Each structure stands twice: as structure tokens, then as C-alpha cells.
Amino acid sequence: MERNEKKNLIYNLMTGVYDLHTLPDSANKIVKNEMAPGTVCEKLYSDIYDANRRVCARLHVEEDKDVEIIISNLMHMSQYLSMKMFDYGSDIKLIDKFDEEDWGRIIDTK
């Protein structure tokens, strides 16, 4: 399996795209479904859904194209950033750069 396929597999496992019961038992131990009931992401998504329903009710529509674009684009942005974070986090040379400079001092001043 190539790197991008692995990244997508991990992302899809994290976001609950796959039913973990249909995968090997090890999948549930390797990557947690961050959208499962009771998780932070499930709560956040529930809040988004509820807010979307309220906006649509105020507009007297079942769906609003602009709200759907906002939600969809934020989800795509999240996936893109997750993939980039995976790349950055797996780049040992990049990670080591943070040890070469006093990043704590730089971050604390902002």
C-alpha cells in the first residue's frame, strides 16, 4: 500500500467511514474512530448539525446551499490539513528541526 493510500485509510478509520466490525480486530486498536458516540468530534459534529437545522428553519428551507458549501469546505479543509499534518509528523528531519532552535521561546511570545 502506498503512502497516500495509508494516509487516507487512517483518515477514514478516524472519521468512521469504515465499520470497524468488518475490519481486522487490530484496526480498532491501531486507530480510534474519533466520530464514535461520546467523542469530542461526535459532539462537535452534533453541534454543527443542530446549528445547520436552526439556520434552515429560520430560512424556512430544508437545506441551504451556502450553509452546505461552508460545512463541506470546512470538512475538506480539515482533511487536507490532516494529511499535511501526517506528512509533517512523519518527517523526522523536520521534527528534529524543532529541537535545534528555542521554539518554546518563540511560541511563548505570541
Side-chain angles (χ1 to χ4, degrees):
M1 183 183 296
E2 72 163 77
R3 180 181 177 84
N4 282 337
E5 289 174 316
K6 290 176 187 175
K7 289 185 340 185
N8 282 312
L9 174 62
I10 292 168
Y11 183 82
N12 288 333
L13 287 167
M14 287 176 54
T15 57
V17 170
Y18 302 121
D19 179 0
L20 291 177
H21 301 328
T22 64
L23 300 173
D25 289 340
S26 60
N28 200 16
K29 295 178 177 104
I30 296 171
V31 179
K32 179 182 169 193
N33 176 355
E34 300 296 341
M35 298 298 289
T39 61
V40 170
C41 289
E42 185 264 340
K43 169 69 171 116
L44 293 170
Y45 189 81
S46 178
D47 290 347
I48 291 168
Y49 179 83
D50 292 344
N52 179 32
R53 298 307 332 136
R54 289 190 302 272
V55 168
C56 289
R58 281 196 302 274
L59 296 174
H60 305 290
V61 296
E62 190 61 33
E63 285 187 1
D64 181 74
K65 182 180 175 184
D66 290 331
V67 172
E68 293 301 320
I69 289 170
I70 291 167
I71 293 170
S72 177
N73 284 350
L74 283 171
M75 292 179 81
H76 283 101
M77 190 184 325
S78 174
Q79 182 176 11
Y80 175 81
L81 291 171
S82 294
M83 298 299 161
K84 295 299 282 186
M85 187 68 181
F86 183 97
D87 291 338
Y88 290 136
S90 61
D91 184 342
I92 299 304
K93 289 180 182 178
L94 175 70
I95 297 300
D96 288 345
K97 290 287 184 191
F98 287 95
D99 293 331
E100 294 174 8
E101 299 181 32
D102 186 6
W103 283 88
R105 179 186 55 77
I106 295 168
I107 293 169
D108 287 341
T109 62
K110 294 192 178 207

